[in-house]
Amino acid sequence: MCLALPCKVVAIDGETATIDVSGMKKDISLALLDDVAVGDYVIVHVGYALTKLDPDEAEKTLALFAEMGEQAMAEAAREIH
Amino acid sequence: MKYIDEFRDGDLARGLSAAIRQAAVPARSYHFMEFCGGHTHAISRYGVADLLPDNVRMIHGPGCPVCVLPVGRVDMAIRLALDCGVTLCTYGDTLRVPASDSLSLMKAKARGGDIRMVYSSADALKVAQANPEKQVVFFAIGFETTTPPTAVAIKQAQALGLKNFSVLCCHVLTPSAISTILESPEVRQWGTVPLDGFIGPAHVSTIIGSQPYEFFAEEYRKPVVIAGFEPLDVMQAILMLVKQVNEGRAVVENEFSRAVTREGNVKAQNLVAEVFELRRQFEWRGLNVVPYSGLKIRKEFAEFDAEQRFPVAYVSVADNRACECGAILRGVKKPQDCKLFGTVCTPENPVGSCMVSSEGACAAHYTYGRYKDFQ
Ligand code: SF4
């Protein structure tokens, strides 16, 4: 029951936000989070936004995955030759 | 979908897999516990274990809220519905958890109990508002992710002056469970299951931050890497753990920096502190009684505490003798080690709680054990 996906906020009305989940709209509570804006991604759990997603950190993490993988693949290639 | 698919990419997974193989020293073995059911789910669903070298083993921990809910707590909810005549609102996952006398909340509903599934604590509050003639109890379970929403509901009930809403509080705390595992005599006795590090919770950490784990790293010399719930997150965390072990380091690292900070969600923490206080002790399925590991409602909010309002004292009940959930939740046994696995005990007909939620070790292995291809 802890699985929760990042969802895009498409509208905000007071403490209620509307999120878009694969085209489906759903209302959630912003009672636990300040400073949410339309366009932000939030992690939603049991009807509440728990935290915002930081797009820069997401990019950095993805870049790190790629870097680690490339290094490993290059190393593997060297071992074969 | 954005922020999801990129973290499931097959090519990146193969790269990370190669990186882990290169980092893991062949002469030694690595045992890491993923605490969260969400990680257990990802590992099984995406076949992460198959991408690891043989000397890196993942051990499932007790971080599935449904799995650690003891029989006695479900019995209380059933007594509230059947004996006290309340309308019981509950998250769907608790409905099939086996209770005493071959009952479950689902079966109690069939016997006439007014038991309703809700998606959020706010929905339970709406049921109370819509039915002023009924006493409505919200069966509140879960770790630090579900606790703040329960606090919000209690505060709203107070603000609305609701007289027919209360909460059966079964919220538990992640850090206490981790220390119990580290100090558990069973694990020490077993000897063959040493833990070299932990994958720290994803969503729990969005609330409490990474700071509470620093204690484990320092006190127990165990590395902790907080990781997101996607398969690549888990693999990156394993790589980071392997490196820490190799270098003899034991610190908290945060792979899930896109959602977790050191401080966590302070607003949510303050709400929780206002409404709840520590229980001296709380019984967990599989971990027995763990001191200061659960929360109860503060006396300022006593009128919203179902345990104060209704005569339902907690009675401890032993699990089904053949069920190995206790050993599985401690990382001592695997689902396949249980005689009932996949025969008597299936997701359709769970005997123990690990088979109920898709994040339970038994259910995850049953469902995905055979489909391990990366998407
Ligand atoms: S297979 Fe069923 S009975 Fe066996 S440990 Fe898992 S949940 Fe318990």
Side-chain angles (χ1 to χ4, degrees), chain B residues 322-325 328 335 338-342 345-346 350-356 362:
Chain B
C323 173
E324 302 273 18
C325 276
I328 289 169
C338 173
K339 284 200 294 290
L340 307 184
F341 177 81
C345 183
T346 61
V351 175
S353 57
C354 293
M355 196 55 106
V356 173
C362 296

Side-chain angles (χ1 to χ4, degrees), chain B residues 8-72:
Chain B
R8 296 179 182 172
D9 182 275
D11 287 335
L12 289 179
R14 275 181 286 278
L16 284 176
S17 166
I20 294 169
R21 269 168 216 283
Q22 283 164 11
V25 178
R28 62 162 303 165
S29 59
Y30 303 81
H31 294 88
F32 302 128
M33 177 177 272
E34 88 272 4
F35 180 84
C36 271
H39 291 133
T40 304
H41 180 97
I43 289 168
S44 302
R45 176 161 181 190
Y46 298 98
V48 170
D50 291 350
L51 295 168
L52 301 176
D54 290 342
N55 58 338
V56 177
R57 207 190 122 195
M58 300 308 297
I59 296 157
H60 308 310
C64 159
V66 184
C67 302
V68 296
L69 192 64
V71 172

Side-chain angles (χ1 to χ4, degrees), chain A residues 4-8 39-43 53-59 62, chain B residues 1-8 230 233 256 258:
Chain A
L5 296 175
C7 307
K8 188 175 184 174
D40 283 347
Y41 278 78
V42 288
I43 291 180
L53 246 110
D54 182 333
D56 296 338
E57 290 294 330
E59 286 307 321
L62 283 170
Chain B
M1 275 190 291
K2 191 146 168 63
Y3 297 122
I4 300 171
D5 295 336
E6 312 96 292
F7 292 88
R8 296 179 182 172
E230 298 303 337
D233 291 318
F256 200 32
R258 62 188 185 278

